[in-house]
């Protein structure tokens, strides 16, 4: 009897060991269970006993977001609306008004109306601020207010919006919106094909193949693939786009994780379209994720020349995990590596500075790798181009101008003050740049340098210790010097700022399509790409 009992206990113990070891996590199972029990008890007590009525859903949403904030910005909780938004983003199809919008304090700011879609046909412009949708004030709406713009095709929607301080109303008829992965392609000079790939949705590779074949039929003997501003998307499509120019069975990227099952090597699966046609890939600081996988593979395998500026450096791999009630957790599971072994990721979210910002890899810590031909390439985050151009770069001042919509708002003001009937006639002059600098002085733009932030902390500490008056004069003197340097920085980065201002202004008059047409003859990166492709010796030397 005792032997049977001992055998049963041994089996139970073994079973428990198998159950707990199968979780195979980075954390102890019992510690996880303990913390879940503590949280569940806490949540229950707060909702049952707090002095005022609580909103359990809102409390839980806050708790989840606070927990995830300690990880990376790509690990997110998705409610049902977020899940649907992700589906739309991957498919490129939805039903709505056809415009990119951004939530601001009390309105939805129209960033870009798509040509020929309801918002455009109703006369809405970039810079318009939607303040009311079907009688619902945007400022009072607590959920995802942008969802109010979507609905079934042919349904009506009434909105109020603010334009240059004036309140206007309009009625729109929603329609099916189809966002192209390749919004533009063209034969430039009888032999140079130019393809813009703007997103890696489910149609990215098929639309790129269609564009490439059409251009080759028109006589294209060389290709420029423009990935600037492409935020990425589906990993499978990054592999498939690479496969267009690289042979079957070629390693494109590997993913590495502390969880063994997420360690994978991704290779091309299909026959290529053209492995010989000379190729230039354009990237900039807003080329991320899947864009970097493609650019990294092309560079590491010496299949083409990369031109522009270092890409964003988003090398973290996410996977959606189903939760209850139609929600999901989009969780980072591994990191991307290029064929040579370079890690794409730029920021280390496990290490943060005093302000809680993720640490960026220092240049002195970059590691050297070799391409197939033996060329030296380096990690450190993102893809560093073979040919760097200042107009592609995004300095601290430029990123601040973009994040605070200073360039966008100036373009709005420019649009309502100036007429422009032909993009070929446009030139952003020195006088225009001086007007932009004057505009910044009267706007809410506030750019704080790292030095200013540290000085502010120093002054606060001095105040606490009673030394504020002693150092205040020195502080004012240094601040005056910093202001002078900031003004100087605007001029030093004029080339990149003017390039972005030009893009934004051209779009206001001629939409994204007009901007691509303007690029063909004026954009420095495209002109440089054409120069490289048209010089066989230079092209070959870069890849040797």
């Amino acid at each position: 009897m005792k032997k049977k009992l001992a055998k049963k206990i041994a089996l139970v113990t073994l079973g428990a060991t198998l159950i707990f070891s199968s979780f195979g996590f980075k954390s102890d199972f019992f510690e996880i269970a303990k913390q879940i029990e503590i949280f569940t008890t806490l949540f229950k007590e707060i909702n049952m006993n707090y002095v005022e009525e609580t909103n359990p859903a809102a409390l839980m949403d806050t708790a989840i977001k606070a927990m995830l904030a300690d990880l990376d910005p790509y690990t997110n909780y998705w409610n049902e609306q977020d899940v649907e938004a992700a589906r739309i983003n991957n498919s490129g199809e939805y039903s709505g008004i056809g415009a990119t919008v951004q939530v601001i304090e009390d309105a939805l700011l129209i960033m870009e109306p798509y040509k020929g879609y309801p918002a455009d046909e109703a006369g809405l412009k970039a810079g318009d601020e939607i303040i009311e949708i079907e009688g619902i004030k945007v400022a009072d709406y607590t959920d995802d207010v942008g969802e109010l713009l979507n609905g079934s095709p042919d349904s009506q929607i009434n909105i109020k919006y603010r334009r240059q301080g004036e309140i206007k109303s309009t009625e729109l008829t929603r329609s099916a919106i189809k966002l192209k992965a390749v919004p533009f392609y063209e034969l430039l000079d009888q032999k140079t094909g130019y393809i813009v790939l703007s997103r890696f949705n489910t149609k990215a590779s098929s639309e790129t193949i269609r564009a490439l074949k059409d251009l080759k039929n028109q006589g294209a003997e060389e290709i420029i693939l423009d990935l600037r501003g492409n935020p990425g998307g589906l990993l499978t499509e990054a592999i498939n786009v690479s496969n267009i120019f690289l042979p079957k069975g070629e390693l494109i990227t590997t993913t590495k994780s502390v969880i063994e099952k997420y360690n994978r090597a991704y290779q091309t699966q299909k026959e290529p379209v053209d492995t010989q046609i000379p190729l230039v890939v354009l990237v900039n600081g807003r080329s991320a994720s899947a864009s970097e996988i493609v650019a990294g593979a092309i560079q590491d395998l010496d299949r083409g020349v990369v031109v522009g500026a270092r890409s964003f450096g988003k090398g973290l791999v996410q996977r959606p995990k189903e939760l209850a009630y139609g929600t999901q957790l989009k969780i980072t599971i591994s990191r991307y590596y290029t064929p040579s072994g370079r890690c794409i990721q730029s920021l280390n979210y496990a290490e943060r500075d005093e302000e809680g910002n993720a640490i960026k890899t220092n240049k002195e810590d970059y590691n050297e790798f070799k391409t197939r031909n033996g060329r030296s390439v380096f990690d450190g985050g993102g893809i560093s181009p073979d040919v760097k151009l200042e107009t592609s770069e995004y300095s601290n001042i430029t990123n601040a101008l973009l994040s605070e919509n200073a360039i966008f708002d100036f373009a709005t003001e420019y649009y309502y003050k100036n007429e422009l009937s032909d993009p070929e006639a446009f030139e952003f002059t020195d006088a225009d740049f001086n007007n932009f600098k004057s505009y910044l002085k009267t706007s809410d733009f506030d750019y704080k340098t790292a030095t200013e932030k540290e000085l502010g902390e120093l002054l606060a500490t001095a105040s606490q210790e009673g030394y504020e008056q002693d150092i205040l004069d020195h502080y004012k003197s240094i601040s005056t010097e910093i202001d002078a340097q900031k003004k100087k920085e605007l001029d030093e980065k004029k080339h990149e700022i003017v390039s972005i201002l030009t893009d934004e202004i051209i779009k206001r008059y001629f939409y994204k399509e007009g901007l691509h047409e303007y690029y063909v003859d004026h954009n420095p990166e495209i002109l440089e790409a054409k120069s490289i492709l048209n010089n066989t010796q230079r092209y070959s030397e870069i890849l040797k």
Side-chain angles (χ1 to χ4, degrees), residues 269-310:
Q269 301 295 316
K270 305 174 183 178
E271 293 301 325
V273 176
D274 195 326
T275 62
Q276 298 300 318
I277 192 167
L279 174 67
V280 167
V281 179
L282 303 182
V283 296
N284 64 9
R286 289 186 287 179
S287 305
S289 192
S291 297
E292 297 173 294
I293 291 173
V294 173
I298 295 298
Q299 186 178 58
D300 280 4
L301 301 172
D302 296 303
R303 175 61 187 87
V305 176
V306 179
V307 173
R310 181 178 281 274

Side-chain angles (χ1 to χ4, degrees), residues 331-530:
I331 183 170
T332 298
I333 61 170
S334 55
R335 289 182 173 85
Y336 287 124
Y337 292 80
T338 68
S340 69
R342 289 182 290 165
C343 180
I344 295 174
Q345 181 60 23
S346 176
L347 297 174
N348 183 358
Y349 294 100
E351 296 182 16
R352 297 176 183 262
D353 60 22
E354 293 178 356
E355 296 181 355
N357 299 315
I359 301 295
K360 193 168 187 177
T361 307
N362 293 320
K363 287 186 178 180
E364 55 267 24
D365 295 326
Y366 287 0
N367 298 300
E368 183 179 1
F369 297 81
K370 295 293 184 179
T371 69
R372 176 166 286 172
N373 288 346
R375 295 188 298 140
S376 293
V377 288
F378 298 86
D379 61 7
I383 303 300
S384 183
D386 302 307
V387 179
K388 297 179 182 180
L389 293 181
E390 290 182 334
T391 47
S392 286
E393 293 178 349
Y394 289 87
S395 60
N396 291 335
I397 183 72
T398 302
N399 282 322
L401 290 167
L402 288 168
S403 64
E404 294 193 29
N405 280 348
I407 288 175
F408 179 88
D409 292 339
F410 177 80
T412 300
E413 186 172 288
Y414 185 98
Y415 176 79
Y416 288 108
K417 289 182 177 180
N418 299 274
E419 293 185 2
L420 183 62
S421 58
D422 180 8
E424 292 298 319
F426 178 74
E427 180 186 0
F428 197 82
T429 64
D430 289 341
D432 289 328
F433 190 67
N434 288 331
N435 289 336
F436 175 66
K437 290 193 290 186
S438 298
Y439 168 80
L440 293 180
K441 293 178 183 177
T442 60
S443 71
D444 295 330
F445 177 67
D446 185 24
Y447 167 50
K448 293 287 186 185
T449 65
T451 304
E452 281 180 297
K453 292 175 183 177
E454 290 182 10
L455 278 173
E457 292 173 3
L458 174 64
L459 188 63
T461 303
S463 177
Q464 293 173 1
E465 297 179 349
Y467 300 128
E468 181 178 10
Q469 194 58 48
D470 295 338
I471 70 167
L472 190 57
D473 290 339
H474 296 293
Y475 174 82
K476 289 179 179 178
S477 175
I478 295 172
S479 294
T480 301
E481 186 68 28
I482 290 174
D483 285 339
Q485 287 299 318
K486 282 160 66 173
K487 291 175 183 177
K488 185 179 178 182
E489 188 177 7
L490 272 174
D491 289 320
E492 288 176 345
K493 302 302 180 182
K494 178 180 176 181
H495 47 270
E496 61 189 73
I497 295 171
V498 167
S499 179
I500 300 170
L501 279 164
T502 299
D503 291 357
E504 193 61 50
I505 290 170
I506 291 290
K507 276 197 303 183
R508 297 306 174 92
Y509 294 91
F510 308 106
Y511 303 90
K512 187 70 73 67
E513 292 82 356
L515 176 60
H516 293 313
E517 291 284 0
Y518 180 83
Y519 272 174
V520 168
D521 295 319
H522 300 86
N523 182 254
E525 288 78 14
I526 293 176
L527 296 177
E528 180 68 13
K530 287 168 64 177

